[in-house]
């Protein structure tokens, strides 16, 4: 069986945590189905794109998928802010997820920079 090296990446592990928390939030919501689906999709997409990029052959492709992962993170944070404005989540929930998101974003940026160095 193949060893999935992306599972060792702390950023992937944190992205999985982020998605799990977001799915827990949406599981308790009963209306705004489109936004719920969008948050579920975007939050899960972060770890999915890290993994998919890691499985690509070229460094350029890997970087491309890391950018997509970062975009999905920003999309998730935007939806969470909308949920907070509509009082579907608490300030504490938003703050915790924004802090985790910032951690993931910094890790993604660092990984992108390291991968770019390989291209030089």
């Amino acid at each position: 069986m193949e060893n999935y090296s992306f599972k060792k990446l702390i950023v992937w592990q944190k992205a999985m945590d982020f998605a799990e928390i977001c799915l827990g939030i949406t599981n308790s919501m009963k209306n705004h189905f489109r936004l719920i689906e969008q948050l579920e999709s975007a939050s899960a997409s972060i770890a999915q794109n890290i993994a998919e990029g890691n499985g690509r052959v070229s460094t350029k492709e890997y970087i491309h998928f890391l950018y997509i992962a970062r975009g999905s993170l920003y999309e998730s944070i935007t939806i969470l802010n909308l949920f907070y404005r509509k009082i579907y989540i608490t300030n504490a929930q938003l703050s915790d997820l924004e802090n985790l998101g910032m951690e993931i974003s910094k890790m993604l940026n660092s990984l992108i920079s390291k991968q770019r160095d390989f291209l030089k």
Side-chain angles (χ1 to χ4, degrees), residues 51-78:
E52 185 169 355
N54 187 264
R56 296 296 174 140
V57 176
S58 80
T59 302
K60 276 186 167 184
E61 282 184 297
Y62 189 18
I63 291 169
H64 174 74
F65 280 94
L66 293 174
Y67 279 128
I68 293 171
R70 191 175 66 185
S72 294
L73 172 64
Y74 292 175
E75 180 181 359
S76 298
I77 294 296
T78 299

Side-chain angles (χ1 to χ4, degrees), residues 102-117:
M102 188 60 66
E103 211 176 328
I104 293 166
S105 180
K106 287 177 182 176
M107 290 177 160
L108 286 170
N109 289 339
S110 176
L111 192 52
I112 289 167
S113 291
K114 287 177 184 173
Q115 294 302 313
R116 276 199 197 136
D117 289 344

